[in-house]
Amino acid sequence: MRFHPALALAAVLAFLLPSASRAQAAPGEWISLQRADAWRGYRSDTLPSGWTFDDATGVLLRGASRRDIITRRQFSDFELEFEWRVSETGNSGVFYRATEGTRVVYENAPEYQILDNVGAPDGRSTLTSAAANYGLDAPVRDVTKPVGEWNHGRIIARGPHVEHWLNGVKVVEYELWTPEWRAKVATTKFAAWPAYGWGTYGHIALQEHPGEVAFRGMRIRELSR
C-alpha cells in the first residue's frame, strides 16, 4: 500500500481529538455538573477546602469555605437545573457567564440568589431574596420551601434573555444590555464594576458565604438560538 502523508495526519488527529470533541456536548444534551471534577476554585485549579462532594448521596456541600467555585467548562446559551438547600440564615448564589477578570465573581456575573428568606438579612428585601437576580430584579413571589427542604432552581439564558425559576414557577425574567437594564445597574453597587453583566460566555459559579448550603442534581444543556 502506498503511503499517503495526508491520510496519516488525519489518522493521528482522529486519535488525538476524540476527547476534545466529546468535551463539547451537542445542543440539547444534558451535562452533569454533580461531580467534584466539574468544579475548581475561582482563579484556582483546585477545589477549595470547605467544599465537599459526597459520592454516595450526590450532594455538593459548602461548609466553612471563603472561596467561590466555578465550572471547569464555560457556557453561552444554556438551561441549568439544580436543587438547593440551606441551613438557617444560609446564603449563597449561582452565577452565570462568569469570567475570572475581576477580583471576585460577583463583580462581573449576574446572580441567582440562594437564601433562607426568613432568617438571613438579605431576606428583608425582595431584591436580594431567594431566586432574585441579585440586587436588580425581585421574584414575583416567594415560593421557597422551609429551611432544610430541597428547592428546585432553574436558569435559562439565551442571548440577552434570562429567566429564573423556583419550584416550577418563573419568578424572574429580564433582558440584559438594554437601556432599561443599564439604567437599573447604574443605581446599584454594580455600577462600580464596568464588566458586570456583559459576559456572553463563561462559567457557572457557586458562592462562598458563612453557613451551610447543599446542591444536588445539577445539570446543564447548551441551547441553540
Side-chain angles (χ1 to χ4, degrees), residues 4-5 8 10 38 43 47 56 62 68 70 74 88 118 126 128 133 142 148 158 171 176 179 181 202 207 218 224:
H4 294 278
R43 292 183 161 187
L47 195 66
R62 187 208 66 204
D68 297 328
I70 62 173
Q74 299 185 59
E88 289 187 5
V118 176
T126 55
T128 54
N133 173 30
D142 182 1
R158 184 182 271 117
V171 292
L176 288 160
W181 176 82
Q207 188 181 41
M218 186 169 284
S224 55

Side-chain angles (χ1 to χ4, degrees):
M1 179 181 292
R2 186 176 177 183
F3 176 74
H4 294 278
L7 292 177
L9 177 60
V12 171
L13 291 175
F15 176 77
L16 293 175
L17 293 177
S19 60
S21 63
R22 283 196 298 270
Q24 297 299 320
E29 179 182 342
W30 286 104
I31 305 160
S32 174
L33 298 177
Q34 207 63 28
R35 59 183 199 278
D37 64 0
W39 301 88
R40 62 177 177 84
Y42 185 73
R43 292 183 161 187
S44 170
D45 196 48
T46 59
L47 195 66
S49 61
W51 290 90
T52 58
F53 182 76
D54 188 327
D55 289 314
T57 61
V59 171
L60 179 64
L61 180 69
R62 187 208 66 204
S65 178
R66 300 299 295 172
R67 294 282 303 279
D68 297 328
I69 63 173
I70 62 173
T71 54
R72 292 186 179 274
R73 288 188 54 174
Q74 299 185 59
F75 305 91
S76 179
D77 296 336
F78 65 86
E79 178 179 7
L80 174 70
E81 290 188 343
F82 54 96
E83 290 185 273
W84 60 271
R85 182 181 67 191
V86 292
S87 60
E88 289 187 5
T89 72
N91 189 330
S92 186
V94 179
F95 299 87
Y96 40 94
R97 294 176 176 163
T99 74
E100 295 181 277
T102 57
R103 181 182 59 88
V104 289
V105 69
Y106 65 74
E107 293 179 355
N108 71 75
E111 176 187 356
Y112 179 113
Q113 171 76 310
I114 303 294
L115 195 73
D116 167 16
N117 278 348
V118 176
D122 272 352
R124 297 168 190 159
S125 170
T126 55
L127 283 172
T128 54
S129 64
N133 173 30
Y134 189 90
L136 294 169
D137 296 285
V140 292
R141 65 179 188 272
D142 182 1
V143 293
T144 54
K145 295 182 179 180
V147 166
E149 294 187 19
W150 289 100
N151 294 272
H152 184 270
R154 182 175 173 224
I155 302 170
I156 298 173
R158 184 182 271 117
H161 184 75
V162 180
E163 299 175 9
H164 290 188
W165 292 69
L166 179 60
N167 295 324
V169 179
K170 182 167 64 175
V171 292
V172 166
E173 184 173 19
Y174 69 98
E175 302 290 323
L176 288 160
W177 317 319
T178 62
E180 294 77 13
W181 176 82
R182 294 185 193 197
K184 194 179 296 185
V185 170
T187 66
T188 70
K189 67 180 183 180
F190 303 116
W193 304 306
Y196 175 80
W198 287 99
T200 59
Y201 178 76
H203 305 271
I204 305 299
L206 304 180
Q207 188 181 41
E208 62 81 16
H209 227 287
E212 184 178 288
V213 63
F215 296 92
R216 72 180 183 186
M218 186 169 284
R219 63 179 188 164
I220 192 168
R221 63 177 176 177
E222 295 179 292
L223 302 176
S224 55
R225 295 196 192 179

